[in-house]
Amino acid sequence: MAAAGTKLTILSRFFTSNVNNKPLRLMGSGPSFNGVAKYSTSAATVVKDYEDYRKSLYGDITHKALLVDAVGTLVVPSQPMAQIYRQIGEKYGVKYSEDEILNRYRWAYGQPWGRSRLRYVNDGRPFWQYIVSSSTGCSDAQYFEELYNYYTTEKAWHLCDPDAEKVFEAIRKVGVKLAVVSNFDTRLRPLLRALNCDHWFDALAVSAEVAAEKPNPTIFLKACELLEVKPEDVVHVGDDRRNDIWGARDAGCDAWLWGSDVHSFEEYLITKAHVNLRVDVLTKCS
């Protein structure tokens, strides 16, 4: 099975790299631009190879569990991060523009975090203090606490898919288990309670609690353990190719990219996950 898993990972990564990571050179010519047309043929072949190979291993795939990424898939910030950092920070002397804050945030977030192998340890305060001060130039403790607590409230977030509740309710009725798998600190549980969606899920695998961050397969395997299912019976949906797609497939799970392979939970569950749901069932749950 180890050899089979290796081949499956190679197929999935070939598909992800060559289909989802298309050349970004959209204006002009050259080898990268001229080669885009070739993807239509190779992509179809790779998708078929991947699906056929999984069927040869596991038969017709009927997923027993759905894993969902949190930020970017289940929930998104209600206002741009830089806007909030500046609005709250003005009374604490923050002078940077939103563009400056965003650029500084991206730089800081991309730097190696030397204090731990994990960014989010327990409540994640040391990491976020570094991010906030680097992004805004403000190290005021009261500013940080106000900003930190804001992102634990329902005001700061909203659901990506407004129909998620009725879809999740429907699939749980047919025996499909649900879990969130997220690189997040310990605020995730109170945040999901604030959004009144914590009860949708049978388990949460949070990196700060599991001591492993995506794309480490450990966090996906922990979710499978919590749900008491095998990885090959699980599909993960997330918005990050490296963390969500490669990470889940390295763990032996199916994985689909949010916003590319699937754009809503209803679309995914009906057309891709082979879960026996009918539109009338979903309607009755609304």
Side-chain angles (χ1 to χ4, degrees):
M1 181 59 76
T6 301
K7 183 174 179 182
L8 188 59
T9 297
I10 292 172
L11 278 170
S12 69
R13 287 192 172 179
F14 181 84
F15 170 72
T16 302
S17 296
N18 288 282
V19 179
N20 291 325
N21 291 331
K22 293 180 180 178
L24 297 178
R25 189 183 302 168
L26 300 180
M27 297 179 65
S29 59
S32 295
F33 186 82
N34 292 334
V36 173
K38 298 177 182 178
Y39 284 113
S40 59
T41 300
S42 63
T45 302
V46 173
V47 171
K48 186 176 187 304
D49 286 347
Y50 177 71
E51 292 180 347
D52 288 349
Y53 189 69
R54 279 196 61 86
K55 285 186 178 182
S56 74
L57 288 177
Y58 311 123
D60 289 331
I61 303 168
T62 301
H63 297 121
K64 297 179 180 178
L66 169 66
L67 310 181
V68 180
D69 167 52
V71 179
T73 306
L74 179 64
V75 298
V76 288
S78 295
Q79 289 85 32
M81 172 277 301
Q83 178 182 324
I84 296 300
Y85 275 39
R86 177 166 172 75
Q87 283 180 354
I88 295 178
E90 284 179 343
K91 61 185 175 184
Y92 297 98
V94 172
K95 301 297 184 184
Y96 291 131
S97 68
E98 291 180 19
D99 285 343
E100 288 174 317
I101 290 172
L102 179 59
N103 289 334
R104 292 170 67 94
Y105 177 97
R106 287 172 172 167
W107 178 87
Y109 202 89
Q111 299 306 301
W113 177 237
R115 297 192 186 185
S116 167
R117 64 188 178 88
L118 302 174
R119 292 172 298 174
Y120 311 128
V121 177
N122 297 323
D123 60 13
R125 270 187 165 82
F127 174 75
W128 287 114
Q129 285 169 338
Y130 159 72
I131 293 295
V132 171
S133 62
S134 298
S135 302
T136 64
C138 180
S139 299
D140 187 288
Q142 190 172 348
Y143 168 51
F144 171 75
E145 288 299 322
E146 183 174 347
L147 194 59
Y148 181 88
N149 291 328
Y150 167 80
Y151 280 104
T152 316
T153 68
E154 70 278 10
K155 182 180 178 180
W157 306 88
H158 65 270
L159 295 171
C160 286
D161 183 351
D163 294 325
E165 181 175 11
K166 69 178 182 181
V167 177
F168 290 162
E169 182 181 348
I171 67 166
R172 290 185 76 182
K173 285 184 176 180
V174 295
V176 177
K177 297 180 179 180
L178 296 169
V180 172
V181 178
S182 177
N183 289 349
F184 213 106
D185 53 58
T186 52
R187 289 177 295 172
L188 183 59
R189 291 180 185 272
L191 169 61
L192 295 182
R193 285 196 295 271
L195 291 171
N196 196 31
C197 64
D198 59 314
H199 61 284
W200 298 352
F201 303 99
D202 301 291
L204 268 66
V206 186
S207 63
E209 300 172 354
V210 176
E213 293 182 355
K214 298 180 294 183
N216 189 331
T218 299
I219 191 169
F220 296 98
L221 295 174
K222 182 61 177 181
C224 294
E225 177 187 329
L226 292 171
L227 295 177
E228 299 182 329
V229 294
K230 297 177 181 179
E232 59 263 32
D233 293 328
V234 172
V235 60
H236 175 72
V237 177
D239 68 319
D240 188 288
R241 291 183 179 90
R242 178 176 177 268
N243 287 345
D244 293 305
I245 306 306
W246 289 9
R249 289 178 178 172
D250 281 349
C253 305
D254 250 346
W256 296 94
L257 187 65
W258 182 263
S260 178
D261 300 320
V262 61
H263 299 82
S264 71
F265 292 113
E266 182 174 344
E267 171 198 342
Y268 175 79
L269 294 168
I270 292 175
T271 65
K272 294 185 181 293
H274 310 294
V275 175
N276 231 349
L277 297 180
R278 301 186 311 276
V279 174
D280 62 316
V281 173
L282 294 173
T283 304
K284 289 176 182 177
C285 290
S286 58

